Amino acid sequence: MRVLLVSISAPPQNTPESLQVIKYANHLAKRCELTVLTIKVAHGWRSADPGLYDAIKPATFIRLPHYSSRAGRFLTSIINKDWLMKPDEDFMFPRQWKKAIKKIGLRPDIIYSRATPFSSALMALKLKQHYKVPWVLHLSDPWLLSPLHLFAGKVREFHGVMERECFENADVVTLTSHEQIKLYTEHYPQFAHKFQFFPNVYNDDELAENPFAFGDKMIFLHTGNFYGEGRNPVFLLEAIKKITQQEPDFFSKCEFVFMGRLNPDVRAVFHQYNYPFVKVVEEYTFEESVSSQRKAHVLLLFDWRFSDADSVFFLSKILGYMTSQRPILAITGANSTCRSVIERRYGNCFVHDDVNAIAEYLRRAVINYKEKNMSFFSVAPADPAYSAQFNADRLYTLLSSLVYVPSPA
């Protein structure tokens, strides 16, 4: 079976979506003839991680120019800023679909696309219409219905038309959470039969035993980039402030480490609080991230915060945290997808502005660490429902069922 995987977010990018692509694609590559259609090596937040160049094998890679750079985005915004939102800054990727066809060669048996960015879906749509083969469209995040995207006017109309056209043409639409399926079923009841649950996953070899060790210093760790509404450390830092105002040396034997790239607003927040026990690491490899997670004692998660909507995002870092076998301190919404996965199994969840409750958790965590109370830091085993092997097998079965349609009796 020849599978064409269309994904702008692919290795060697060290991004959450790229890491998910690797986990699914590696299993497909062992059972299929896999071709990955993606972009050339990018820069900025999508910079190449040298350890991820051969992350998927065996597979054939086709890399197209992506024409996205800081200078390019600036010039585009001057000419027509809407282009950067139709559907995103990678809008030149789907416009190269004829070039892609020339490079692909043999006709694929099936197309599997992963978005975000949504330009991946638009490229897959063009290829679906050309090849007339089955297409499985995966949305790692909601599209038109996402509270992250404040589309308006003609831009919103564009996204509505494109999303509907993709859903009409796709044979199956896979989503990462049951909350997203509910959201889309209510919006598109006519497509409800196409929606299937395929979550973010962990690699099964990440389940190696990782005993908890009490040392001289307690480490709180966050891995991942910081950007967007609510996804910044201000409420955690306010909780730290509340404690240190009463006990200045309370965190003297603790370290809060943040591994990830920061946007200017978040960088300003860290500069404002400027605690000596808070450390920011913006340049790191995937391997360094995994190693740090396994050495930490409490893992930090910051979910989106919206004034008029619940967060239905399944943050992929939950899976890495889950396999690290460490408790999660999650700052998230009361009815979020993250809370439904984490609460009472993998850690404790607090709404964003509940600084008192966050401070109380930090206080208890540090005291229990000093007292070497292992029960405080115990978590449930990783849920096999999020295993890469399990879900890649499901995906292979799905792809096969669409390609090899039984002949009528």
Side-chain angles (χ1 to χ4, degrees), residues 132-376:
K132 301 189 184 332
V133 296
W135 172 27
V136 174
L137 162 64
H138 179 76
L139 291 184
S140 50
D141 292 333
W143 187 343
L144 184 68
L145 303 185
S146 171
L148 272 180
H149 307 306
L150 302 178
F151 302 131
K154 291 184 178 180
V155 171
R156 181 172 180 81
E157 182 181 341
F158 169 86
H159 281 272
V161 169
M162 289 297 96
E163 181 182 75
R164 178 181 288 272
E165 188 172 354
C166 285
F167 282 20
E168 286 174 346
N169 282 267
D171 295 83
V172 175
V173 178
T174 61
L175 300 155
T176 59
S177 76
H178 295 294
E179 290 83 356
Q180 290 177 19
I181 290 176
K182 181 175 183 292
L183 192 69
Y184 269 105
T185 298
E186 291 173 353
H187 190 74
Y188 293 121
Q190 70 272 37
F191 300 136
H193 63 286
K194 295 187 177 187
F195 300 143
Q196 294 194 30
F197 172 61
F198 276 84
N200 289 326
V201 296
Y202 61 78
N203 274 334
D204 297 68
D205 58 10
E206 296 173 21
L207 293 176
E209 193 172 342
N210 187 30
F212 193 96
F214 295 97
D216 293 334
K217 185 171 288 189
M218 182 179 184
I219 299 173
F220 295 82
L221 173 72
H222 174 270
T223 59
N225 299 328
F226 266 127
Y227 58 92
E229 186 177 359
R231 292 195 74 184
N232 71 59
V234 66
F235 297 109
L236 178 78
L237 295 172
E238 276 295 309
I240 291 172
K241 178 180 177 181
K242 183 178 182 67
I243 294 172
T244 54
Q245 284 178 335
Q246 300 170 350
E247 300 178 62
D249 297 326
F250 186 81
F251 295 109
S252 60
K253 291 190 175 181
C254 298
E255 190 170 63
F256 289 79
V257 182
F258 295 84
M259 299 182 73
R261 295 183 177 91
L262 315 178
N263 68 14
D265 291 345
V266 175
R267 191 173 288 110
V269 169
F270 279 112
H271 287 159
Q272 175 186 344
Y273 288 85
N274 196 30
Y275 292 116
F277 47 81
V278 173
K279 178 182 178 183
V280 175
V281 180
E282 290 200 64
E283 297 297 330
Y284 61 95
T285 66
F286 171 67
E287 292 300 328
E288 288 168 342
S289 171
V290 172
S291 175
S292 296
Q293 286 177 20
R294 293 180 68 82
K295 293 175 183 175
H297 302 107
V298 173
L299 299 167
L300 306 172
L301 181 141
F302 301 85
D303 195 7
W304 305 102
R305 186 192 193 201
F306 306 109
S307 58
D308 57 355
D310 294 327
S311 175
V312 296
F313 297 90
F314 190 134
L315 300 184
S316 60
K317 66 168 50 64
I318 294 176
L319 285 309
Y321 285 4
M322 193 185 290
T323 59
S324 297
Q325 300 151 53
R326 296 291 184 267
I328 302 171
L329 163 53
I331 297 178
T332 183
N335 300 303
S336 68
T337 294
C338 289
R339 180 181 288 270
S340 70
V341 176
I342 295 169
E343 188 65 28
R344 297 184 181 178
R345 301 188 68 198
Y346 303 108
N348 295 85
C349 300
F350 304 94
V351 295
H352 291 79
D353 54 2
D354 195 350
V355 172
N356 289 335
I358 297 168
E360 178 58 27
Y361 175 88
L362 293 176
R363 190 184 295 277
R364 288 190 293 113
V366 172
I367 291 172
N368 277 277
Y369 186 81
K370 289 178 179 177
E371 295 176 351
K372 298 185 177 181
N373 179 13
M374 188 62 233
S375 64
F376 182 87

